[in-house]
């Protein structure tokens, strides 16, 4: 998971970490980074999509 996060574009990773690891709301992230709430939502969506894809690949390769 860390490797996937590290490979994300810097802003996407930052937004995801602020949301999921720091527990900030989308509105708070948007205000702090001077972005629209919709942009924050979209970046979180893309990060989750990428993480899910990586997790699925890991499960398939591990033969679980």
């Amino acid at each position: 998971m860390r490797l996937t996060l590290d490979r994300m574009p810097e802003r996407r990773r930052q937004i995801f970490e602020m949301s999921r690891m720091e527990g900030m709301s989308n509105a708070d992230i948007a205000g702090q980074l001077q972005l629209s709430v919709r942009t924050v939502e979209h970046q979180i969506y893309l990060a989750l999509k990428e993480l899910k894809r990586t997790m699925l690949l890991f499960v398939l390769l591990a033969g679980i």
Side-chain angles (χ1 to χ4, degrees), residues 14-54:
Q14 180 183 23
I15 290 169
F16 182 80
E17 289 179 348
M18 290 171 81
S19 172
R20 295 308 197 263
M21 295 174 188
E22 298 175 25
M24 294 177 67
S25 71
N26 293 353
D28 289 341
I29 296 168
Q32 185 170 336
L33 299 179
Q34 297 180 337
L35 301 168
S36 73
V37 173
R38 183 69 184 117
T39 297
V40 171
E41 292 169 350
H42 186 65
Q43 291 302 311
I44 291 170
Y45 165 78
L46 292 174
L48 288 170
K49 182 177 171 183
E50 192 170 341
L51 285 167
K52 287 177 187 177
R53 186 178 323 127
T54 301

